[in-house]
Amino acid sequence: MKIHEYQGKELFDQWGITTVSGAVCRSVDEALNAYDHLGLSRAVVKAQVLTGGRGKAGGVKIAKNREELALIAASILGMDIKGYIVDRILVAAAVDIAAEYYFSFVVDRNAKSVVMIMSRDGGVEIEEVAAKNPERIHKIPIFPFVGVPDFLARKAASILFDDWNHIVQAKEMIKKLYRLMVDTDASLVEINPLVISKSGELLALDAKINFDDNAMYRRPEIEKLFEPTPEEEKELDAKAKGFSFVQLQGEIGCMVNGAGLAMATMDLIKLYGGTPANFLDIGGSSNPNKVVEAMKLLLSDTDVKVVLINIFGGITRCDDVARGLLTAFNQIKTDIPIVIRLTGTNEKEGRELLLGTPFHTAETMGEAIKKAVELSARNHVIVHQA
Amino acid sequence: MKIHEYQGKELFDQWGITTVSGAVCRSVDEALNAYDHLGLSRAVVKAQVLTGGRGKAGGVKIAKNREELALIAASILGMDIKGYIVDRILVAAAVDIAAEYYFSFVVDRNAKSVVMIMSRDGGVEIEEVAAKNPERIHKIPIFPFVGVPDFLARKAASILFDDWNHIVQAKEMIKKLYRLMVDTDASLVEINPLVISKSGELLALDAKINFDDNAMYRRPEIEKLFEPTPEEEKELDAKAKGFSFVQLQGEIGCMVNGAGLAMATMDLIKLYGGTPANFLDIGGSSNPNKVVEAMKLLLSDTDVKVVLINIFGGITRCDDVARGLLTAFNQIKTDIPIVIRLTGTNEKEGRELLLGTPFHTAETMGEAIKKAVELSARNHVIVHQA
Amino acid sequence: MSILIDKNTKVVVQGITGRDGGFHAAKMKEYGTKVVAGISPGKGGTDAGGIPVYNTVRESVEKEGADTSIIFVPAPFVKDAVMEAADAGIKLIICITEGVPTLDIIAARHYAFAMGAKIIGPNCPGLISPGKSLIGIMPGNIFMPGKTGVISRSGTLTYEVVYNLTQAGIGQSTAVGIGGDPVAGLYFIDLLQMFQDDPDTDSIVMIGEIGGDAEEKAAAYIKANITKPVYSFIAGRTAPADKRMGHAGAIISSGSGSAGEKLAALTAAGAHVVNEPAEIPALIKKH
Amino acid sequence: MSILIDKNTKVVVQGITGRDGGFHAAKMKEYGTKVVAGISPGKGGTDAGGIPVYNTVRESVEKEGADTSIIFVPAPFVKDAVMEAADAGIKLIICITEGVPTLDIIAARHYAFAMGAKIIGPNCPGLISPGKSLIGIMPGNIFMPGKTGVISRSGTLTYEVVYNLTQAGIGQSTAVGIGGDPVAGLYFIDLLQMFQDDPDTDSIVMIGEIGGDAEEKAAAYIKANITKPVYSFIAGRTAPADKRMGHAGAIISSGSGSAGEKLAALTAAGAHVVNEPAEIPALIKKH
């Protein structure tokens, strides 16, 4: 789960991490009011979108005065950054920066722990630094039961800074940042740039925080910060029904049990020349209601020309799955061709139950997918002819 | 640092460990008032002394009614338990006990960690159980950074109890007790007996807590619970002056640098037939003021017949020590014979400085101690003759 | 032979009185696995389908000789359950539960590692040494004993692959589902080495997916240390960047973790990379 | 040869800008110890009597090759200082500071152990391999190189014993003051084994005192594992029960830790137990 920079900064405030106060604005008027209210002179305007690379895209600008602020706010609001439309901006005092740094805590798959990552090359895309000058990036793994004692924070701070005054400020910030990570079950807490202002103060000029979805049950105050996009709403709806769903732009609607098998199904559709309309993992049961709900979801996408149902019957036997499908399709009327592939335990019995139905059946995954791709191409033609 | 049972129970209350409410009383009248005020019927009266074995000594008794309470309170107040005079008692409701258990957290020298110790044989002297039936005592070491997670508390609780209701109560108590240990820097937190009442409730019927003197600087609220005996006052006074001092019952006053050497000096005095009047470690400096203070301390003990100064000059050279002694003894007038043994760096120069003074000097520890024992015996005779 | 588990493995089921725990305990027992005990705090002394239930793992170790644990407890309790098992002396802990907070599994794994225990999972289907022991939620009947080791980040995709193998008469020594979470226990490299060391494993099938760089790391390891043939399928070639595909593990992030990079790395390491799972049996037979 | 430290040992002094740290850093350097750096957070870049000062131990390891640390920081900061040294890769940490809270040293020791570092102390005088390296607060001039190893819980009593040895012409391979606190790092058993393994140590002097049962444990270990002659003096025979004698360690508690029990155990283990320290040199010469 991601949150906006301004929300991250609110959390920084709560955990005592020094950042720059600002105001979230949804219009040029609000931005001008904020400018006056905060008593700003030079101001920074930052697009609030849940994606990286804002700076490169022109979503972060400095306004020298009130007039410039109005122009910049107008230009950034409504901007499209990697498909995200900017509906709000953060207006804050521009800081006189002496130097920029990078700092983050992140869950590391390989270290199997949280690691602190820091670099004296801040304010740029850290991935580029990592690729070109890996020696300029420092990683320190954190022992989960030990956390970040004074010495470790001091060590990290002294990797970033030479001036003792900066080290002391950074040491305190690092301990608080780790506290924030643990207290909120974050999976990433990133500050880029972390700056030393010309007056010698350490400031978090950005705040990027991702949270562990699995832990949100115990962080209700964090969970409520989440603002799903319409696309994510659809995925969350699906999740509430026990599905894992991702909308794509193709023509073959997929219904598969298991995430890996669902991905493999998509891969094979492409391999055979078709296009998957979605990723849909319906999980492991043969409950007909689940199939009905899944079909509704698939058929709500008007691009879908064919539905491919790919089920591996393991613990749930194929005959039970077939019966579930039959019950479900008694409730659903559709002209869209449906290809069903059932394999696994009791597969013969399952396929026999489907004999004489309008469904196209197949024994292997390859066969099923070939058929679905073929049908989607034919359907295409029909649609074009109509 | 030790505290009384009633103080321990107050801490138990603060940390949420269920115990039995009671009142500390310093007179029979107070005890009767407490009896009425608490609305007791059967009451337990417990001597509050900073030593073990109260029960055996008759310091814990049950009163069936108000009259008996008065008699028992009168008998326990003023009692001498291992040299401690009972000046207060705890009066509390007598619990109907179904079963008694033992539980403690203690710093273990060998495990080099805190260990949980538990036994189903509670209410008795646990050392006896340990000696006769070691298999009835269970020890679980605690990882310092991990502490006592649920599972560990559940494991310990299920070693003590069979009934799930008791296990759940004990699990919670164990976690709180460890919290108390860590939060107060205790070195021992012991409940004996820990009981299950006839109504099924888990209760800490005793509370024995020792604290780590070294950590009291960060636990002022605990430190102020300490009530030193007059003897301990004297030792604390000495400590404030940089000495480590223990009063004993002998005739040879000792002033030594270093605890081990001081103990060895006492041992050799006994070995040669004398009696040490004290243990006094003056630490490592040659500061004359320290010597003056130490001499005052030694001479305040009228039993002292001889003073033995045993100094090993290491980093501090013997000639500096000798100069310090001379300066000090310019300020002190005494008829008590003084034996000085100086060894180590620049020992010859040191001993030369003492030539022509009234001090008896010696080169080896054995020689010095023989002389001190001899002088104390002679002095003895003189005293007897007078 | 097989790796990690065999017919002598004695299993305790943590969370046996839950719906999934009870169901799969019975399934495992039916398969022939030695399920010696179940744990359900507060239900000690009862019986779950003929399996004795205890309050603590310690009791199952002391009284039934359990050496391996499978965890079905709800996600909020997984951390404590893993630590309890490791503390009790369990040496292999298989965690089926999904949705475990990452910081919990990091702590639990660290603790288990310090106690000398191995973890598989969380969010995994478990493992099976066909004909000997099934410790997980896999459908036992699709497996057959043999000499191919299987390692997979995915559940049903594993079944698909194994089903193809079994249909073609290629049995499995052990098949391990390592789970799809960002932080998990035993992973490709650990298991590749175990299969390399197992005299009764002749070839290894490795099923990866997008997200993370475990496959790239495995490729480097294969090149340096593995002499047995490795067959690999990677799911998610067509998955769009920055999208979750069922598990949290399946994220393309930071220019690492794309199927293309994984395929290239494995091919360069000498693994036989296939376009579809069905190609694997024929390839194995050819070599 | 010697144990633990020799003329190549590179020492960093944690707390070098404090009174004791500065004084003893100079003394050690004067003795010939390679004191390569000092640590004082906030004073990095300065110089303490010709010794470069850094803010962190890491810098002293990276820039000066420090491998051993001696700690003089005030008691409230010892836990952090020990952990910092262990984290930085220091393999031997000598803690001179007294008055360290027990729970702090338990945590620090646990961490250091996990990082592969050994601790001596706290509340100890340090150690010396005469003629090679002195890392502690011992008076270097009373020692002489030789073949007797010394282990002691006490400071000045060690000097007393060593002075007697040196006067009698018996040199020392290494002398270690293990400290008198309830929980400490290397202890009798660890050091007995190191001296047993050191080809240039012929005999071992062990100076114990009342409190705890480390001497009894050492006696059992001597009986089972030590073939070199062990000479022992135990201080506190006449100390009254339940009294502190200078250190917290010197408490007779729970029927264990009395001088009598220790003497009996050591005698039964074949150690040469003496009534006064001065007897030791003659005994060593006799054997």
Side-chain angles (χ1 to χ4, degrees):
Chain A
M1 194 189 106
K2 293 176 179 178
I3 58 171
H4 288 288
E5 174 192 5
Y6 73 90
Q7 295 171 311
K9 285 184 170 175
E10 281 167 14
L11 293 178
F12 278 12
D13 272 344
Q14 285 175 44
W15 266 263
I17 297 145
T18 319
T19 179
V20 176
S21 54
V24 201
C25 308
R26 290 171 186 265
S27 69
V28 174
D29 279 352
E30 277 184 32
L32 289 170
N33 281 342
Y35 185 91
D36 297 339
H37 188 74
L38 295 170
L40 301 180
S41 52
R42 278 177 75 239
V44 62
V45 182
K46 304 173 87 175
Q48 299 296 288
V49 281
L50 297 173
T51 184
R54 290 177 305 179
K56 271 193 180 166
V60 179
K61 282 193 174 132
I62 300 277
K64 282 195 219 67
N65 51 45
R66 200 173 188 277
E67 291 65 41
E68 233 179 72
L69 178 85
L71 293 172
I72 290 173
S75 76
I76 294 181
L77 281 163
M79 192 181 261
D80 180 332
I81 300 178
K82 297 187 184 170
Y84 292 85
I85 305 303
V86 180
D87 69 349
R88 72 201 91 168
I89 53 178
L90 181 65
V91 175
V95 173
D96 284 329
I97 295 171
E100 296 184 305
Y101 304 84
Y102 174 91
F103 189 90
S104 67
F105 282 108
V106 62
V107 168
D108 186 293
R109 287 161 179 268
N110 295 314
K112 304 199 179 192
S113 69
V114 173
V115 297
M116 266 194 269
I117 303 178
M118 68 219 81
S119 174
R120 293 191 180 216
D121 294 352
V124 298
E125 288 207 20
I126 199 69
E127 298 88 334
E128 282 176 26
V129 180
K132 288 181 199 154
N133 299 96
E135 80 288 353
R136 297 190 59 80
I137 306 246
H138 299 264
K139 288 187 184 186
I140 299 178
I142 310 294
F143 288 122
F145 292 102
V146 178
V148 181
D150 264 0
F151 83 85
L152 203 64
R154 205 164 56 233
K155 170 176 161 177
S158 73
I159 289 173
L160 273 186
F161 300 102
D162 297 317
D163 184 304
W164 183 248
N165 169 34
H166 301 161
I167 292 174
V168 170
Q169 289 184 68
K171 186 193 94 172
E172 292 305 317
M173 185 211 70
I174 288 167
K175 292 181 70 173
K176 288 170 181 168
L177 212 56
Y178 183 70
R179 199 70 262 149
L180 167 62
M181 174 141 194
V182 170
D183 288 352
T184 63
D185 270 297
S187 52
L188 168 75
V189 183
E190 186 180 69
I191 304 175
N192 190 21
L194 173 70
V195 308
I196 295 293
S197 71
K198 287 200 171 140
S199 58
E201 206 188 354
L202 184 81
L203 295 166
L205 281 204
D206 197 359
K208 189 174 178 186
I209 314 183
N210 295 350
F211 300 95
D212 177 4
D213 292 352
N214 285 346
M216 288 302 102
Y217 73 88
R218 63 187 179 196
R219 308 295 178 198
E221 74 290 359
I222 298 296
E223 197 171 26
K224 71 181 185 220
L225 298 177
F226 183 45
E227 297 178 9
T229 60
E231 205 175 55
E232 283 167 331
E233 288 278 16
K234 204 169 171 183
E235 290 166 17
L236 282 175
D237 273 358
K239 198 179 169 190
K241 289 173 186 135
F243 305 144
S244 176
F245 177 78
V246 179
Q247 181 67 63
L248 304 168
Q249 313 297 327
E251 294 179 336
I252 301 176
C254 304
M255 188 193 306
V256 190
N257 66 336
L261 190 61
M263 277 199 288
T265 304
M266 289 163 51
D267 291 350
L268 263 63
I269 289 173
K270 278 252 172 119
L271 189 69
Y272 290 171
T275 54
N278 64 285
F279 164 96
L280 174 60
D281 167 14
I282 60 163
S285 97
S286 60
N287 184 343
N289 292 334
K290 224 166 167 182
V291 177
V292 171
E293 288 295 337
M295 278 305 292
K296 283 186 189 162
L297 195 62
L298 292 184
L299 297 177
S300 72
D301 177 357
T302 52
D303 287 348
V304 166
K305 303 282 179 290
V306 179
V307 167
L308 167 63
I309 301 177
N310 184 10
I311 303 288
F312 190 93
I315 294 291
T316 313
R317 301 187 323 246
C318 289
D319 48 343
D320 278 348
V321 174
R323 267 185 284 269
L325 289 172
L326 290 172
T327 310
F329 281 102
N330 274 336
Q331 298 172 47
I332 300 172
K333 298 293 160 212
T334 176
D335 294 332
I336 301 274
I338 292 166
V339 182
I340 298 178
R341 181 263 187 162
L342 272 179
T343 319
T345 314
N346 290 8
E347 59 182 25
K348 276 187 191 163
E349 293 85 339
R351 283 198 289 264
E352 270 163 28
L353 283 167
L354 298 177
L355 279 179
T357 65
F359 306 128
H360 305 263
T361 62
E363 286 197 26
T364 72
M365 205 163 139
E367 191 190 325
I369 288 165
K370 261 179 220 152
K371 190 162 289 174
V373 170
E374 200 183 295
L375 286 166
S376 78
R378 197 190 301 166
N379 229 353
H380 229 166
V381 176
I382 294 167
V383 173
H384 277 250
Q385 284 177 331
Chain B
M1 194 189 106
K2 292 177 181 179
I3 59 171
H4 287 289
E5 174 192 4
Y6 74 90
Q7 295 171 313
K9 285 186 170 174
E10 281 167 20
L11 294 177
F12 278 12
D13 272 343
Q14 285 175 45
W15 266 262
I17 297 146
T18 318
T19 178
V20 177
S21 54
V24 201
C25 308
R26 291 172 187 264
S27 67
V28 175
D29 278 351
E30 277 184 33
L32 288 170
N33 282 342
Y35 185 90
D36 297 338
H37 189 74
L38 295 170
L40 302 180
S41 51
R42 277 176 76 239
V44 63
V45 181
K46 304 172 86 176
Q48 299 295 289
V49 281
L50 296 173
T51 184
R54 290 177 304 177
K56 271 193 182 167
V60 180
K61 282 194 174 132
I62 300 277
K64 284 196 218 67
N65 50 45
R66 198 173 189 276
E67 290 66 39
E68 233 179 73
L69 178 85
L71 293 172
I72 290 173
S75 76
I76 294 181
L77 280 163
M79 193 181 260
D80 179 331
I81 300 179
K82 296 185 185 171
Y84 292 85
I85 305 302
V86 181
D87 69 349
R88 72 202 91 168
I89 53 178
L90 182 64
V91 175
V95 173
D96 284 328
I97 296 171
E100 296 184 305
Y101 304 84
Y102 174 91
F103 190 90
S104 68
F105 281 108
V106 61
V107 168
D108 186 295
R109 287 161 180 266
N110 295 312
K112 303 198 180 193
S113 69
V114 174
V115 297
M116 267 194 268
I117 304 179
M118 68 219 80
S119 174
R120 293 191 180 215
D121 295 351
V124 296
E125 288 207 19
I126 200 70
E127 297 89 335
E128 283 176 26
V129 180
K132 289 181 199 155
N133 299 97
E135 79 288 353
R136 298 189 59 80
I137 306 246
H138 299 263
K139 288 188 184 188
I140 299 178
I142 310 294
F143 287 123
F145 292 102
V146 177
V148 181
D150 264 359
F151 82 85
L152 203 64
R154 207 164 53 234
K155 170 176 160 177
S158 73
I159 288 174
L160 273 186
F161 301 102
D162 297 315
D163 184 305
W164 183 248
N165 168 35
H166 301 160
I167 293 174
V168 169
Q169 290 183 66
K171 186 193 94 173
E172 290 307 316
M173 183 210 72
I174 289 167
K175 293 180 69 173
K176 288 169 182 168
L177 211 56
Y178 184 70
R179 198 69 263 148
L180 167 62
M181 174 140 194
V182 170
D183 288 353
T184 64
D185 270 298
S187 53
L188 168 75
V189 184
E190 185 180 69
I191 305 176
N192 189 22
L194 173 70
V195 307
I196 295 294
S197 71
K198 286 200 172 140
S199 59
E201 205 188 354
L202 184 80
L203 294 166
L205 281 205
D206 197 0
K208 188 173 178 187
I209 314 184
N210 295 349
F211 299 96
D212 177 3
D213 292 352
N214 285 346
M216 289 303 102
Y217 73 88
R218 64 187 178 196
R219 308 294 178 199
E221 74 289 358
I222 298 296
E223 197 172 25
K224 72 181 183 219
L225 298 178
F226 182 47
E227 297 177 10
T229 59
E231 203 176 57
E232 284 168 331
E233 288 279 16
K234 203 168 171 185
E235 291 166 17
L236 283 175
D237 273 359
K239 199 179 168 190
K241 289 173 185 135
F243 305 144
S244 177
F245 177 77
V246 179
Q247 180 68 62
L248 301 169
Q249 312 299 326
E251 296 180 335
I252 301 176
C254 304
M255 189 192 306
V256 189
N257 66 335
L261 190 61
M263 277 199 288
T265 304
M266 289 162 53
D267 292 349
L268 264 63
I269 288 173
K270 278 253 172 120
L271 188 69
Y272 289 170
T275 53
N278 65 285
F279 165 95
L280 173 59
D281 168 13
I282 60 163
S285 97
S286 60
N287 184 341
N289 293 333
K290 225 169 165 180
V291 176
V292 172
E293 288 295 338
M295 277 306 291
K296 283 186 190 162
L297 195 61
L298 292 185
L299 297 178
S300 72
D301 178 356
T302 51
D303 286 347
V304 166
K305 305 279 177 292
V306 179
V307 167
L308 168 64
I309 300 177
N310 184 10
I311 304 286
F312 191 92
I315 294 292
T316 312
R317 301 185 325 245
C318 289
D319 48 343
D320 278 347
V321 174
R323 268 184 283 269
L325 289 172
L326 290 171
T327 311
F329 281 99
N330 274 335
Q331 298 171 47
I332 299 171
K333 299 290 161 215
T334 175
D335 295 333
I336 300 274
I338 292 165
V339 182
I340 299 178
R341 182 262 186 163
L342 272 179
T343 319
T345 314
N346 289 10
E347 58 182 23
K348 276 186 191 164
E349 293 83 341
R351 284 198 288 264
E352 271 162 27
L353 283 167
L354 298 178
L355 280 178
T357 65
F359 306 129
H360 304 264
T361 62
E363 287 198 24
T364 71
M365 204 164 139
E367 191 189 325
I369 288 167
K370 260 179 221 152
K371 190 162 289 175
V373 171
E374 200 183 295
L375 286 166
S376 77
R378 198 189 304 167
N379 229 352
H380 230 168
V381 176
I382 296 168
V383 173
H384 276 248
Q385 284 180 329
Chain C
M1 245 178 81
S2 51
I3 66 166
L4 291 163
I5 59 171
D6 62 23
K7 62 185 192 320
N8 298 315
T9 303
K10 288 184 175 171
V11 181
V12 52
V13 179
Q14 290 181 258
I16 197 166
T17 56
R19 203 192 48 160
D20 292 350
F23 177 78
H24 289 289
K27 284 270 171 199
M28 289 188 275
K29 207 178 154 191
E30 195 183 304
Y31 188 77
T33 305
K34 287 210 172 76
V35 181
V36 299
I39 307 302
S40 185
K43 295 190 181 134
T46 64
D47 161 300
I51 301 164
V53 177
Y54 294 98
N55 288 326
T56 64
V57 178
R58 181 184 70 89
E59 292 165 284
S60 73
V61 171
E62 289 178 2
K63 294 178 185 162
E64 310 290 347
D67 52 29
T68 297
S69 155
I70 181 165
I71 292 178
F72 287 98
V73 305
F77 307 107
V78 164
K79 176 179 169 185
D80 202 60
V82 170
M83 290 172 70
E84 179 180 355
D87 169 75
I90 294 288
K91 291 301 170 205
L92 180 63
I93 301 165
I94 296 113
C95 181
I96 305 301
T97 311
E98 63 182 316
V100 181
T102 308
L103 295 183
D104 283 9
I105 206 69
I106 287 174
R109 193 194 148 275
H110 193 89
Y111 182 86
F113 188 80
M115 303 298 284
K118 296 184 174 76
I119 295 182
I120 296 177
N123 189 15
C124 82
L127 77 168
I128 180 170
S129 292
K132 295 171 182 164
S133 186
L134 159 63
I135 309 180
I137 59 173
M138 295 157 156
N141 58 312
I142 65 167
F143 293 85
M144 71 180 262
K147 300 206 155 201
T148 294
V150 179
I151 317 170
S152 173
R153 277 172 75 179
S154 162
T156 42
L157 184 52
T158 315
Y159 310 159
E160 179 76 31
V161 170
V162 165
Y163 191 72
N164 283 322
L165 292 175
T166 298
Q167 295 281 42
I170 300 170
Q172 304 90 40
S173 54
T174 302
V176 187
I178 60 179
D181 275 9
V183 173
L186 292 181
Y187 231 69
F188 289 128
I189 290 178
D190 314 288
L191 294 163
L192 283 166
Q193 189 58 54
M194 288 183 202
F195 281 129
Q196 174 72 24
D197 295 341
D198 176 31
D200 285 341
T201 295
D202 290 345
S203 59
I204 305 166
V205 173
M206 184 181 131
I207 304 162
E209 62 183 38
I210 52 171
D213 61 357
E215 289 82 0
E216 290 87 329
K217 292 231 171 327
Y221 194 83
I222 289 168
K223 196 166 189 174
N225 303 287
I226 306 297
T227 58
K228 297 181 181 178
V230 177
Y231 304 90
S232 188
F233 176 77
I234 304 292
R237 299 182 187 208
T238 56
D242 205 15
K243 276 287 170 198
R244 291 174 160 256
M245 291 287 160
H247 324 151
I251 304 170
I252 299 184
S253 62
S254 314
S256 166
S258 79
E261 289 168 287
K262 292 174 192 303
L263 294 168
L266 284 163
T267 305
H272 306 279
V273 179
V274 300
N275 284 323
E276 31 184 324
E279 295 170 25
I280 296 174
L283 264 180
I284 293 181
K285 284 190 174 166
K286 213 172 76 182
H287 284 92
Chain D
M1 244 177 81
S2 50
I3 66 165
L4 292 163
I5 60 172
D6 61 24
K7 63 185 191 318
N8 298 314
T9 303
K10 289 183 174 172
V11 181
V12 52
V13 179
Q14 290 180 258
I16 197 166
T17 57
R19 203 192 48 161
D20 291 350
F23 177 78
H24 289 290
K27 284 272 169 196
M28 288 188 276
K29 208 179 155 192
E30 196 182 305
Y31 188 77
T33 305
K34 288 211 172 76
V35 181
V36 299
I39 306 302
S40 185
K43 295 191 181 135
T46 64
D47 161 300
I51 302 164
V53 177
Y54 294 97
N55 288 326
T56 63
V57 178
R58 182 185 70 89
E59 292 165 282
S60 74
V61 171
E62 288 177 3
K63 294 177 185 161
E64 309 290 348
D67 52 29
T68 297
S69 155
I70 181 165
I71 292 178
F72 288 98
V73 305
F77 307 108
V78 163
K79 176 180 169 184
D80 202 60
V82 170
M83 290 172 69
E84 178 179 358
D87 171 75
I90 294 288
K91 291 303 170 204
L92 179 64
I93 301 164
I94 295 113
C95 181
I96 305 300
T97 311
E98 63 182 315
V100 182
T102 308
L103 295 182
D104 283 9
I105 206 69
I106 287 174
R109 194 195 147 275
H110 193 89
Y111 182 86
F113 187 81
M115 303 298 283
K118 295 183 175 76
I119 295 182
I120 296 176
N123 188 17
C124 81
L127 78 169
I128 181 170
S129 292
K132 297 171 182 166
S133 186
L134 159 62
I135 308 179
I137 58 172
M138 293 156 158
N141 57 311
I142 65 166
F143 294 84
M144 72 179 263
K147 301 208 155 199
T148 294
V150 179
I151 316 169
S152 173
R153 278 171 75 178
S154 162
T156 41
L157 184 53
T158 315
Y159 311 158
E160 178 77 30
V161 170
V162 166
Y163 190 72
N164 282 322
L165 291 175
T166 299
Q167 295 280 44
I170 300 169
Q172 305 89 41
S173 53
T174 302
V176 187
I178 60 180
D181 275 9
V183 173
L186 292 183
Y187 231 70
F188 289 127
I189 290 178
D190 315 288
L191 294 163
L192 283 167
Q193 188 59 53
M194 289 182 201
F195 280 129
Q196 174 72 23
D197 296 341
D198 177 30
D200 285 341
T201 295
D202 291 344
S203 60
I204 306 166
V205 173
M206 185 182 132
I207 303 161
E209 63 184 37
I210 52 170
D213 61 357
E215 290 81 0
E216 289 88 329
K217 292 229 172 332
Y221 194 83
I222 289 169
K223 196 165 189 174
N225 304 288
I226 305 299
T227 59
K228 297 181 181 177
V230 177
Y231 304 89
S232 188
F233 176 77
I234 303 293
R237 298 182 188 208
T238 56
D242 206 15
K243 276 288 170 196
R244 291 173 161 257
M245 291 286 158
H247 321 151
I251 304 171
I252 299 184
S253 61
S254 314
S256 167
S258 78
E261 289 168 289
K262 293 174 191 302
L263 293 168
L266 284 163
T267 305
H272 306 278
V273 179
V274 300
N275 284 322
E276 32 184 324
E279 296 170 24
I280 296 174
L283 263 180
I284 294 181
K285 284 190 173 166
K286 213 172 75 182
H287 284 92

